[in-house]
């Protein structure tokens, strides 16, 4: 199932911050009110253009979602970064891995 999310990542200091629009595509398996999913994710940076961070990252995502009611759900997911988040000119390699917990509204 394709989704679109916003994620603020990094530190409090402006030079360590990188915000992304995340576009996961997960294959979900449903077990009653619980579903688990796994799939690829593209991350498009929406912070400044020339800041030493790559503009497009690839990662894998896995997680679980529990349906509370017809319109509300809670979920938790883990994103494992495959791509180097830093530009090639920096000369250092680093990846992002994040844990996300959320409450959602189905529309």
């Amino acid at each position: 199932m394709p989704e679109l999310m916003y994620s603020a990542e990094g530190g409090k200091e402006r030079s360590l911050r990188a915000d992304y629009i995340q576009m996961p595509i997960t294959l979900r398996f449903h077990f009653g009110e619980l579903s688990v999913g796994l799939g690829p994710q593209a991350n498009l940076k929406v912070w400044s253009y020339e800041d030493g961070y790559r503009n497009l990252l690839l990662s894998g995502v896995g997680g679980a979602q529990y349906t509370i009611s017809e319109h509300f759900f809670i979920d938790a997911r883990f994103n494992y970064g495959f791509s180097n988040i830093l530009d090639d000119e920096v000369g250092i390699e680093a990846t992002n891995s994040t844990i996300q917990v959320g409450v959602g509204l189905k529309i």
Side-chain angles (χ1 to χ4, degrees), residues 38-56:
L38 186 67
Q41 176 173 288
N43 305 289
L44 179 63
K45 186 179 64 147
V46 294
W47 196 243
S48 58
Y49 180 67
E50 294 291 332
D51 61 358
Y53 294 101
R54 288 185 189 254
N55 293 322
L56 181 65

Side-chain angles (χ1 to χ4, degrees), residues 29-46:
F29 300 96
H30 297 273
F31 307 98
E33 302 299 318
L34 179 69
S35 67
V36 294
L38 186 67
Q41 176 173 288
N43 305 289
L44 179 63
K45 186 179 64 147
V46 294

Side-chain angles (χ1 to χ4, degrees), residues 43-107:
N43 305 289
L44 179 63
K45 186 179 64 147
V46 294
W47 196 243
S48 58
Y49 180 67
E50 294 291 332
D51 61 358
Y53 294 101
R54 288 185 189 254
N55 293 322
L56 181 65
L57 304 174
L58 299 176
S59 60
V61 61
Q65 176 177 303
Y66 182 77
T67 302
I68 299 170
S69 69
E70 182 180 346
H71 299 289
F72 293 98
F73 64 91
I74 57 174
D75 75 346
R77 58 182 72 195
F78 177 73
N79 299 308
Y80 180 80
F82 299 127
S83 302
N84 183 7
I85 65 170
L86 302 173
D87 285 334
D88 291 332
E89 297 83 34
V90 176
I92 302 171
E93 192 166 320
T95 59
N96 273 346
S97 292
T98 58
I99 295 173
Q100 297 174 319
V101 177
V103 177
L105 172 66
K106 294 181 182 180
I107 52 175

Side-chain angles (χ1 to χ4, degrees), residues 15-30:
S15 65
L16 299 176
R17 196 179 314 155
D19 300 340
Y20 297 95
I21 297 294
Q22 297 179 329
M23 298 158 280
I25 299 175
T26 56
L27 178 62
R28 293 192 176 268
F29 300 96
H30 297 273

